[in-house]
Amino acid sequence: MSRVVFKTVIVAFVFLFEIQVRGDTIAFFYALDKDFEALKAQAESAGQPIKVGSRNIAVLQIKTHKVYAVKMGSGAVETAVSAQGLLSRMKCDAGFSVGPVGALSDKLKIGSWHRVEVVANFQRGSWTKSGFQLSPPSATSLQTNLTDKFKLPELFQKLEAIKVASGEIFIASGNYRTQVRETTGADAVDMNLFGLITVCADHHLPLHCWRVVSDKADDNASEDFRKFVENYDGAGGKALAELIANLPPNPNSPQSYPNLNKALSN
């Protein structure tokens, strides 16, 4: 078989192979720009950003893994729009997310990292003559068997699993903090997770989330959050880049066969 014919056969084989299978593709949902910058510093550009409506989705490569990254936005609805924009365009194998939460439990300290296990919507209810009546919040469990699937970076090892109350508002009131804590039994509160898990569940995407405590959701929350963001170093994004780099290559992906790719480039 001549070299030209051999190469043609390889090209045809890879083309058909790629139609049927694909490499591992990761969706990265972030809240803070510093997390994106930290992950991007450990990655390579894999193309121009993809614009979906008002969202810009970065296209990156970490070893054999394609990574699509989008900022979640402020609020569960904005987050859902971001997630839907990404997942409606790209089929992903796994979703990872990092971001801040406000502590509802006094046991959680500012700067501490935690693994999200359960998310509850704390704003379900109705207005009545006696005021706002909060309905029992729906709770959704996330993926928990991380150690069986991933080689976790040091930052994410042996973390306490927490329940997060999620909604549209930034809580900066000690009284409201107490009410949400007593109603939901949650350890922390955020403005992203309920929208994110709703969309990921609709797309059957396994989702893994880590959160860092940025404030205590009390009367000083606004100032504490501002200081946290100013001093934050993007540790979550850096750890996620390490996690993705350590994921095993997909044995069904053409990218996992460097000799084949080398033959094609000659």
Side-chain angles (χ1 to χ4, degrees):
M1 183 182 294
S2 69
R3 182 179 182 84
V4 174
V5 174
F6 176 69
K7 187 171 182 177
T8 301
V9 171
I10 292 178
V11 172
F13 170 76
V14 172
F15 177 73
L16 291 173
F17 196 56
E18 286 185 307
I19 291 177
Q20 300 176 56
V21 299
R22 56 190 167 79
D24 296 307
T25 305
I26 305 299
F28 172 45
F29 306 101
Y30 64 93
L32 302 178
D33 291 334
K34 289 182 180 178
D35 279 321
F36 171 69
E37 295 299 331
L39 181 137
K40 183 180 178 182
Q42 305 297 318
E44 297 180 0
S45 174
Q48 293 297 317
I50 299 170
K51 190 169 182 62
V52 180
S54 61
R55 301 310 197 258
N56 285 313
I57 302 169
V59 185
L60 306 170
Q61 188 82 26
I62 298 179
K63 291 193 175 181
T64 61
H65 309 288
K66 185 71 67 67
V67 179
Y68 294 103
V70 67
K71 190 170 185 176
M72 289 183 286
S74 179
V77 172
E78 286 291 311
T79 299
V81 172
S82 294
Q84 183 66 22
L86 191 160
L87 297 177
S88 64
R89 292 288 300 273
M90 277 70 66
K91 175 68 175 177
C92 296
D93 302 297
F96 299 115
S97 177
V98 293
V101 291
L104 296 178
S105 169
D106 292 333
K107 294 181 180 180
L108 272 58
K109 306 301 180 184
I110 293 178
S112 62
W113 280 90
H114 304 273
R115 173 171 55 83
V116 179
E117 186 172 52
V118 178
V119 177
N121 180 358
F122 70 88
Q123 290 183 300
R124 296 185 63 179
S126 59
W127 285 99
T128 68
K129 292 182 180 180
S130 58
F132 183 72
Q133 300 297 315
L134 194 64
S135 299
S138 60
T140 303
S141 297
L142 275 70
Q143 303 289 325
T144 58
N145 57 337
L146 295 173
T147 55
D148 296 333
K149 293 184 177 182
F150 311 129
K151 179 181 178 182
L152 294 177
E154 184 177 356
L155 184 67
F156 294 160
Q157 293 178 6
K158 299 179 181 180
L159 294 184
E160 176 188 4
I162 60 171
K163 179 179 181 179
V164 177
S166 185
E168 287 295 317
I169 59 175
F170 181 84
I171 296 181
S173 163
N175 290 335
Y176 197 25
R177 175 184 190 258
T178 300
Q179 178 185 344
V180 174
R181 168 69 171 169
E182 292 177 349
T183 303
T184 65
D187 306 290
V189 64
D190 95 320
M191 300 174 64
N192 301 119
L193 280 166
F194 189 73
L196 180 60
I197 66 170
T198 300
V199 175
C200 289
D202 191 52
H203 286 268
H204 306 288
L205 180 73
L207 178 65
H208 309 276
C209 301
W210 296 267
R211 291 296 185 263
V212 59
V213 178
S214 59
D215 58 84
K216 294 186 177 181
D218 57 10
D219 296 343
N220 298 317
S222 296
E223 180 63 18
D224 288 343
F225 180 77
R226 183 188 65 79
K227 291 179 180 178
F228 175 84
V229 173
E230 286 181 355
N231 297 319
Y232 181 60
D233 60 359
K238 183 179 179 181
L240 265 185
E242 180 183 342
L243 187 157
I244 295 169
N246 287 329
L247 289 177
N250 187 333
N252 295 322
S253 171
Q255 296 182 21
S256 301
Y257 300 91
N259 290 335
L260 185 60
N261 293 328
K262 184 179 179 180
L264 288 172
S265 63
N266 291 332

